[in-house]
Amino acid sequence: MAYASPPANESGADKPREECGVFGIHGHADAAALIALGLHALQHRGQEAAGIVTFEDGRFFSHRGPGNIADNFGDESVIRGLQGNIGIGHNRYSTTGETLARNIQPLFADLASGGFAIAHNGNLTNALTIRRKLVADGCLFQSTTDTEVLIHLIATSRAESLVERMVAALGQVEGAYSLAALHNDTLIGVRDPHGIRPLVLGRLENSHVLASETCALDIIGASYVRDIAPGEMILIDSDGVRTAHPFTPQPHRFCVFEYIYFARPDSTIEGRNVYESRKRIGIELARETHIPADIVVPVPDSGVPAALGYAEQSGIPYELGIIRNHYVGRTFIEPTERIRHLGVKLKHNANNEVIRDKRVVLVDDSIVRGTTSTKIVEMVRAAGARSVHMRIASPPTANSCFYGVDTPDRSELFAAQNTVEEMARIIGVDSLAFLSIDGLYRAMGETGRDPDSPGYCDACFTGDYPVRLTDLSGRKADGQLSFMTRLA
Ligand code: AMP
């Protein structure tokens, strides 16, 4: 079922915005070290905080902290302290205010049946609504993340086994979740019924691995077994792997933005290599928006595969006209407008010799606030380009994501506030063109977007939200500030 896009001022600037990576392993003597390596390969999914929880002989071991994996797990003694041959890990990115230590995952709770740790990628869209009810019933929340709602629902469930409790809890939440959880010596993986976020199963010798993306299997030499299916729950213990499909099946709506920007290009998701998909998107972009020019220049790194596809299709030479400094994190990491501007300057520099006197096609994957494009175009013009034509390898991002990708409120989304002509003028280009939504689906191997059954979650482009936005409508109704905002 589809839900209409919320009005701009309702879209929840105070929502918890999380982009995360999860990893789990069962049955390996070096569990903690392998989890740290897996999370390192998933670092692009979140750089704000990281954590690992392991289990051995009835005891849980955990280390969580702000920063990236190397900051937290670069020290061998930390890894040694995380005992056991089973564990899960998480890296997190959130832009809501300060980093709260108590929000760092995996979250952990002592349940009647034993310890339970959980790592979540995605966003729940009715967490506030459930949380209010639970708080009214006396639940004491320790964090401000949506994920903690799951722990309370599991703890208060009357079902017998942990698995039944988990199913009952997950049956009440709405939104996107790919989970790696640990209950004593059982590793649990779950993907929401729409399959919005990725989760794969891998194998390393006799041990089983869960990871957000296949690049995290590659780093430890694990082989890819399969993607966890939408709505599938997988249990891994000393008896092996069991699987269940306990939820009502829903239309498959994997996040198409994972292919456009978010996932690592060397990952393969649901049988599609991310790099190849991006290149095909570039080919489609050139078909739709070709313009005579001297060079095709990617905005590195995010525009590189699409620019290669664009150059291949158009026959215009591909050149590295912008060089990226790799020792600066992603532009979005910086929380304020002023620093974001500074961040872009720190990150990219024009390769003057390549650009001077050229008609340049600049290719990037997406425009969000418009900050990056404006700075880059200024730089390319200052380097002496004769003309600058910006080509974007996705449709205009006109709607916020509520399922786990950090997009700002609609009021800050460049494409929600401006027409293509206005955007072109503000960015300062001679021409600007975006890939069409049908072109995006063609690049993904379909004939176009079927509005009755789109096959992907593309809400950021279309406003067609596959899972209802209960918290948002609730807030609209009662006009209250969210509980999370007041706590965060
Ligand atoms: P902006 O300056 O806000 O227009 O940012 C656009 C750039 O940010 C694009 O070049 C993308 O590569 C990158 N980007 C797009 N979406 C995200 C996101 N959710 N998180 C971090 N970076 C993003």
Short mmCIF file of all heavy atoms in Angstrom, two decimals, residues 259-261 265 272-287 296 301-314 318 363 365 393 435 439-440 442-445:
data_model
loop_
_atom_site.label_atom_id
_atom_site.label_comp_id
_atom_site.label_asym_id
_atom_site.label_seq_id
_atom_site.Cartn_x
_atom_site.Cartn_y
_atom_site.Cartn_z
N TYR A 259 21.37 1.37 -4.20
CA TYR A 259 22.08 1.16 -5.47
C TYR A 259 22.67 2.46 -6.00
O TYR A 259 23.72 2.47 -6.62
CB TYR A 259 21.14 0.58 -6.53
CG TYR A 259 20.83 -0.88 -6.33
CD1 TYR A 259 19.57 -1.30 -5.93
CD2 TYR A 259 21.82 -1.84 -6.53
CE1 TYR A 259 19.30 -2.64 -5.74
CE2 TYR A 259 21.55 -3.18 -6.35
CZ TYR A 259 20.29 -3.58 -5.95
OH TYR A 259 20.04 -4.91 -5.75
N ILE A 260 21.96 3.57 -5.78
CA ILE A 260 22.40 4.86 -6.32
C ILE A 260 23.60 5.41 -5.56
O ILE A 260 24.56 5.88 -6.15
CB ILE A 260 21.23 5.88 -6.29
CG1 ILE A 260 20.15 5.43 -7.27
CG2 ILE A 260 21.70 7.29 -6.59
CD1 ILE A 260 18.84 6.16 -7.10
N TYR A 261 23.53 5.37 -4.24
CA TYR A 261 24.56 6.03 -3.45
C TYR A 261 25.07 5.25 -2.26
O TYR A 261 26.26 5.22 -1.99
CB TYR A 261 24.01 7.38 -2.93
CG TYR A 261 24.91 8.04 -1.91
CD1 TYR A 261 26.06 8.72 -2.30
CD2 TYR A 261 24.63 7.93 -0.55
CE1 TYR A 261 26.89 9.31 -1.36
CE2 TYR A 261 25.47 8.53 0.39
CZ TYR A 261 26.59 9.21 -0.01
OH TYR A 261 27.42 9.79 0.91
N PRO A 265 30.21 0.14 -3.82
CA PRO A 265 30.10 -0.34 -5.20
C PRO A 265 30.53 -1.80 -5.39
O PRO A 265 30.10 -2.45 -6.34
CB PRO A 265 30.99 0.60 -6.00
CG PRO A 265 31.62 1.53 -5.04
CD PRO A 265 30.99 1.37 -3.70
N ARG A 272 22.37 -8.14 -7.77
CA ARG A 272 22.84 -7.03 -8.62
C ARG A 272 24.08 -6.39 -8.02
O ARG A 272 24.04 -5.92 -6.88
CB ARG A 272 21.79 -5.93 -8.69
CG ARG A 272 20.67 -6.24 -9.59
CD ARG A 272 19.66 -5.10 -9.61
NE ARG A 272 18.49 -5.57 -10.30
CZ ARG A 272 18.43 -5.70 -11.61
NH1 ARG A 272 19.43 -5.35 -12.36
NH2 ARG A 272 17.34 -6.19 -12.18
N ASN A 273 25.12 -6.33 -8.80
CA ASN A 273 26.33 -5.67 -8.35
C ASN A 273 26.09 -4.15 -8.34
O ASN A 273 25.55 -3.60 -9.31
CB ASN A 273 27.49 -6.03 -9.29
CG ASN A 273 28.75 -5.27 -8.94
OD1 ASN A 273 29.13 -4.34 -9.66
ND2 ASN A 273 29.38 -5.61 -7.83
N VAL A 274 26.48 -3.51 -7.26
CA VAL A 274 26.15 -2.09 -7.08
C VAL A 274 26.90 -1.24 -8.12
O VAL A 274 26.33 -0.34 -8.74
CB VAL A 274 26.47 -1.64 -5.64
CG1 VAL A 274 26.29 -0.14 -5.48
CG2 VAL A 274 25.58 -2.39 -4.65
N TYR A 275 28.17 -1.56 -8.34
CA TYR A 275 28.96 -0.80 -9.33
C TYR A 275 28.32 -0.89 -10.72
O TYR A 275 28.15 0.12 -11.41
CB TYR A 275 30.39 -1.32 -9.34
CG TYR A 275 31.22 -0.80 -10.48
CD1 TYR A 275 31.70 0.50 -10.46
CD2 TYR A 275 31.51 -1.60 -11.59
CE1 TYR A 275 32.46 1.00 -11.52
CE2 TYR A 275 32.27 -1.12 -12.64
CZ TYR A 275 32.73 0.18 -12.60
OH TYR A 275 33.47 0.67 -13.64
N GLU A 276 27.99 -2.12 -11.12
CA GLU A 276 27.38 -2.33 -12.45
C GLU A 276 26.08 -1.55 -12.56
O GLU A 276 25.78 -0.96 -13.59
CB GLU A 276 27.11 -3.82 -12.68
CG GLU A 276 28.36 -4.62 -13.02
CD GLU A 276 29.05 -4.13 -14.29
OE1 GLU A 276 28.37 -3.61 -15.18
OE2 GLU A 276 30.29 -4.24 -14.35
N SER A 277 25.29 -1.56 -11.48
CA SER A 277 24.01 -0.84 -11.49
C SER A 277 24.27 0.65 -11.70
O SER A 277 23.58 1.30 -12.48
CB SER A 277 23.25 -1.05 -10.18
OG SER A 277 23.12 -2.42 -9.92
N ARG A 278 25.25 1.16 -10.98
CA ARG A 278 25.55 2.60 -11.11
C ARG A 278 26.03 2.94 -12.51
O ARG A 278 25.70 3.99 -13.06
CB ARG A 278 26.60 3.02 -10.07
CG ARG A 278 25.97 3.08 -8.71
CD ARG A 278 26.90 3.48 -7.60
NE ARG A 278 26.20 3.18 -6.35
CZ ARG A 278 26.74 3.14 -5.16
NH1 ARG A 278 28.02 3.39 -5.00
NH2 ARG A 278 26.01 2.84 -4.11
N LYS A 279 26.81 2.04 -13.09
CA LYS A 279 27.30 2.29 -14.45
C LYS A 279 26.13 2.30 -15.43
O LYS A 279 26.04 3.16 -16.30
CB LYS A 279 28.30 1.19 -14.81
CG LYS A 279 29.52 1.75 -15.51
CD LYS A 279 30.56 0.72 -15.75
CE LYS A 279 31.10 0.90 -17.15
NZ LYS A 279 31.98 -0.20 -17.54
N ARG A 280 25.22 1.34 -15.24
CA ARG A 280 24.04 1.30 -16.12
C ARG A 280 23.17 2.54 -15.94
O ARG A 280 22.59 3.05 -16.89
CB ARG A 280 23.21 0.04 -15.86
CG ARG A 280 23.76 -1.19 -16.60
CD ARG A 280 22.70 -2.25 -16.75
NE ARG A 280 22.11 -2.57 -15.47
CZ ARG A 280 22.60 -3.48 -14.63
NH1 ARG A 280 23.68 -4.17 -14.95
NH2 ARG A 280 22.02 -3.72 -13.47
N ILE A 281 23.12 3.04 -14.73
CA ILE A 281 22.39 4.29 -14.48
C ILE A 281 23.03 5.43 -15.29
O ILE A 281 22.35 6.24 -15.91
CB ILE A 281 22.37 4.61 -12.96
CG1 ILE A 281 21.40 3.66 -12.24
CG2 ILE A 281 22.00 6.06 -12.70
CD1 ILE A 281 21.43 3.76 -10.72
N GLY A 282 24.36 5.45 -15.33
CA GLY A 282 25.09 6.47 -16.10
C GLY A 282 24.82 6.35 -17.59
O GLY A 282 24.67 7.35 -18.30
N ILE A 283 24.73 5.11 -18.07
CA ILE A 283 24.43 4.87 -19.49
C ILE A 283 23.04 5.44 -19.81
O ILE A 283 22.84 6.15 -20.79
CB ILE A 283 24.52 3.35 -19.80
CG1 ILE A 283 25.98 2.91 -19.73
CG2 ILE A 283 23.88 3.01 -21.14
CD1 ILE A 283 26.21 1.41 -19.84
N GLU A 284 22.10 5.12 -18.94
CA GLU A 284 20.72 5.59 -19.12
C GLU A 284 20.67 7.13 -19.05
O GLU A 284 19.96 7.78 -19.81
CB GLU A 284 19.86 4.96 -18.02
CG GLU A 284 18.39 4.89 -18.29
CD GLU A 284 18.01 4.19 -19.58
OE1 GLU A 284 18.53 3.10 -19.87
OE2 GLU A 284 17.17 4.76 -20.32
N LEU A 285 21.45 7.69 -18.14
CA LEU A 285 21.51 9.15 -17.99
C LEU A 285 22.00 9.80 -19.29
O LEU A 285 21.46 10.81 -19.74
CB LEU A 285 22.44 9.49 -16.82
CG LEU A 285 22.58 10.96 -16.41
CD1 LEU A 285 21.25 11.52 -15.90
CD2 LEU A 285 23.65 11.12 -15.32
N ALA A 286 23.02 9.21 -19.90
CA ALA A 286 23.55 9.76 -21.16
C ALA A 286 22.50 9.63 -22.27
O ALA A 286 22.35 10.54 -23.09
CB ALA A 286 24.83 9.03 -21.55
N ARG A 287 21.78 8.50 -22.27
CA ARG A 287 20.73 8.33 -23.29
C ARG A 287 19.69 9.43 -23.17
O ARG A 287 19.22 9.98 -24.15
CB ARG A 287 20.03 6.98 -23.11
CG ARG A 287 20.82 5.83 -23.65
CD ARG A 287 19.94 4.57 -23.74
NE ARG A 287 20.78 3.45 -24.09
CZ ARG A 287 20.90 2.33 -23.39
NH1 ARG A 287 20.19 2.16 -22.29
NH2 ARG A 287 21.70 1.38 -23.80
N VAL A 296 33.80 14.25 -19.68
CA VAL A 296 32.86 13.84 -18.63
C VAL A 296 33.67 13.74 -17.34
O VAL A 296 34.66 13.02 -17.29
CB VAL A 296 32.22 12.47 -18.94
CG1 VAL A 296 31.37 11.99 -17.76
CG2 VAL A 296 31.38 12.55 -20.19
N ASP A 301 33.66 10.52 -4.64
CA ASP A 301 33.67 9.23 -5.32
C ASP A 301 32.28 8.86 -5.84
O ASP A 301 32.16 8.00 -6.70
CB ASP A 301 34.12 8.13 -4.35
CG ASP A 301 35.56 8.26 -3.94
OD1 ASP A 301 36.37 8.75 -4.75
OD2 ASP A 301 35.90 7.90 -2.81
N SER A 302 31.28 9.54 -5.30
CA SER A 302 29.91 9.07 -5.52
C SER A 302 29.49 9.11 -6.98
O SER A 302 28.65 8.32 -7.41
CB SER A 302 28.95 9.89 -4.67
OG SER A 302 29.14 11.28 -4.92
N GLY A 303 30.09 9.99 -7.79
CA GLY A 303 29.66 10.09 -9.19
C GLY A 303 30.46 9.23 -10.15
O GLY A 303 30.18 9.22 -11.36
N VAL A 304 31.49 8.53 -9.64
CA VAL A 304 32.44 7.85 -10.54
C VAL A 304 31.80 6.77 -11.43
O VAL A 304 31.91 6.84 -12.65
CB VAL A 304 33.65 7.30 -9.74
CG1 VAL A 304 34.49 6.36 -10.58
CG2 VAL A 304 34.49 8.45 -9.22
N PRO A 305 31.10 5.77 -10.86
CA PRO A 305 30.58 4.72 -11.75
C PRO A 305 29.58 5.26 -12.77
O PRO A 305 29.62 4.87 -13.95
CB PRO A 305 29.90 3.73 -10.80
CG PRO A 305 30.43 4.03 -9.44
CD PRO A 305 30.80 5.47 -9.44
N ALA A 306 28.72 6.20 -12.36
CA ALA A 306 27.73 6.75 -13.30
C ALA A 306 28.43 7.55 -14.40
O ALA A 306 28.04 7.50 -15.57
CB ALA A 306 26.73 7.63 -12.56
N ALA A 307 29.50 8.28 -14.04
CA ALA A 307 30.24 9.04 -15.04
C ALA A 307 30.92 8.11 -16.05
O ALA A 307 30.98 8.41 -17.25
CB ALA A 307 31.27 9.93 -14.37
N LEU A 308 31.41 6.96 -15.58
CA LEU A 308 32.02 5.98 -16.49
C LEU A 308 30.96 5.50 -17.49
O LEU A 308 31.22 5.39 -18.69
CB LEU A 308 32.58 4.79 -15.71
CG LEU A 308 33.92 5.05 -15.02
CD1 LEU A 308 34.23 3.96 -14.01
CD2 LEU A 308 35.05 5.14 -16.07
N GLY A 309 29.77 5.22 -16.98
CA GLY A 309 28.67 4.78 -17.85
C GLY A 309 28.28 5.88 -18.83
O GLY A 309 28.05 5.62 -20.01
N TYR A 310 28.24 7.12 -18.33
CA TYR A 310 27.87 8.25 -19.18
C TYR A 310 28.89 8.40 -20.31
O TYR A 310 28.54 8.60 -21.49
CB TYR A 310 27.81 9.53 -18.34
CG TYR A 310 27.15 10.69 -19.03
CD1 TYR A 310 25.85 11.07 -18.71
CD2 TYR A 310 27.81 11.43 -20.02
CE1 TYR A 310 25.22 12.14 -19.34
CE2 TYR A 310 27.20 12.49 -20.66
CZ TYR A 310 25.91 12.85 -20.32
OH TYR A 310 25.30 13.90 -20.95
N ALA A 311 30.18 8.33 -19.96
CA ALA A 311 31.24 8.49 -20.96
C ALA A 311 31.18 7.36 -21.99
O ALA A 311 31.30 7.60 -23.20
CB ALA A 311 32.60 8.50 -20.26
N GLU A 312 30.97 6.15 -21.50
CA GLU A 312 30.90 4.99 -22.41
C GLU A 312 29.76 5.17 -23.41
O GLU A 312 29.94 4.98 -24.61
CB GLU A 312 30.68 3.73 -21.56
CG GLU A 312 30.71 2.44 -22.35
CD GLU A 312 30.44 1.26 -21.43
OE1 GLU A 312 31.21 1.08 -20.47
OE2 GLU A 312 29.46 0.53 -21.68
N GLN A 313 28.61 5.58 -22.93
CA GLN A 313 27.44 5.71 -23.80
C GLN A 313 27.57 6.90 -24.74
O GLN A 313 27.20 6.82 -25.91
CB GLN A 313 26.18 5.85 -22.92
CG GLN A 313 24.90 6.11 -23.67
CD GLN A 313 24.51 4.93 -24.57
OE1 GLN A 313 24.90 3.79 -24.32
NE2 GLN A 313 23.77 5.22 -25.63
N SER A 314 28.12 8.02 -24.25
CA SER A 314 28.15 9.24 -25.07
C SER A 314 29.37 9.31 -25.96
O SER A 314 29.41 10.09 -26.91
CB SER A 314 28.13 10.46 -24.14
OG SER A 314 29.31 10.47 -23.34
N TYR A 318 36.30 10.40 -20.54
CA TYR A 318 36.17 10.47 -19.08
C TYR A 318 37.47 11.04 -18.53
O TYR A 318 38.54 10.56 -18.87
CB TYR A 318 35.94 9.05 -18.56
CG TYR A 318 35.98 8.86 -17.07
CD1 TYR A 318 34.82 8.94 -16.31
CD2 TYR A 318 37.16 8.53 -16.41
CE1 TYR A 318 34.83 8.72 -14.94
CE2 TYR A 318 37.20 8.32 -15.05
CZ TYR A 318 36.03 8.42 -14.32
OH TYR A 318 36.06 8.21 -12.97
N VAL A 363 29.19 14.82 -13.46
CA VAL A 363 28.21 13.79 -13.07
C VAL A 363 28.31 13.51 -11.57
O VAL A 363 29.38 13.25 -11.04
CB VAL A 363 28.46 12.47 -13.84
CG1 VAL A 363 27.46 11.40 -13.41
CG2 VAL A 363 28.37 12.71 -15.35
N ASP A 365 25.88 11.55 -8.19
CA ASP A 365 24.79 10.58 -8.00
C ASP A 365 23.48 11.24 -7.61
O ASP A 365 22.40 10.80 -8.00
CB ASP A 365 25.18 9.56 -6.91
CG ASP A 365 25.26 10.22 -5.54
OD1 ASP A 365 26.14 11.06 -5.35
OD2 ASP A 365 24.40 9.93 -4.69
N ALA A 393 22.65 11.38 -11.53
CA ALA A 393 22.34 9.97 -11.79
C ALA A 393 21.20 9.44 -10.92
O ALA A 393 21.23 8.30 -10.46
CB ALA A 393 23.61 9.14 -11.60
N LEU A 435 18.20 12.10 -14.05
CA LEU A 435 17.67 10.86 -14.63
C LEU A 435 16.17 10.80 -14.34
O LEU A 435 15.73 11.22 -13.26
CB LEU A 435 18.38 9.67 -13.96
CG LEU A 435 18.00 8.27 -14.44
CD1 LEU A 435 18.47 8.05 -15.87
CD2 LEU A 435 18.64 7.20 -13.54
N GLY A 439 13.78 5.98 -16.31
CA GLY A 439 15.15 5.69 -16.69
C GLY A 439 15.87 4.92 -15.59
O GLY A 439 16.64 3.99 -15.85
N LEU A 440 15.59 5.29 -14.35
CA LEU A 440 16.18 4.58 -13.21
C LEU A 440 15.74 3.12 -13.22
O LEU A 440 16.56 2.20 -13.07
CB LEU A 440 15.76 5.28 -11.92
CG LEU A 440 16.18 4.62 -10.60
CD1 LEU A 440 17.70 4.49 -10.52
CD2 LEU A 440 15.67 5.42 -9.40
N ARG A 442 14.68 1.45 -15.78
CA ARG A 442 15.27 0.78 -16.95
C ARG A 442 16.70 0.34 -16.62
O ARG A 442 17.10 -0.77 -16.95
CB ARG A 442 15.25 1.71 -18.17
CG ARG A 442 13.93 1.70 -18.93
CD ARG A 442 14.08 2.34 -20.29
NE ARG A 442 14.44 3.75 -20.20
CZ ARG A 442 13.55 4.74 -20.05
NH1 ARG A 442 12.26 4.47 -19.98
NH2 ARG A 442 13.96 5.99 -19.96
N ALA A 443 17.43 1.22 -15.94
CA ALA A 443 18.80 0.87 -15.56
C ALA A 443 18.81 -0.34 -14.62
O ALA A 443 19.77 -1.10 -14.59
CB ALA A 443 19.49 2.06 -14.91
N MET A 444 17.73 -0.51 -13.87
CA MET A 444 17.64 -1.64 -12.95
C MET A 444 17.06 -2.88 -13.66
O MET A 444 16.69 -3.86 -13.00
CB MET A 444 16.77 -1.29 -11.73
CG MET A 444 17.29 -0.12 -10.90
SD MET A 444 19.00 -0.24 -10.38
CE MET A 444 18.89 -1.61 -9.24
N GLY A 445 16.94 -2.80 -14.97
CA GLY A 445 16.56 -3.99 -15.74
C GLY A 445 15.06 -4.13 -15.97
O GLY A 445 14.60 -5.18 -16.40
#
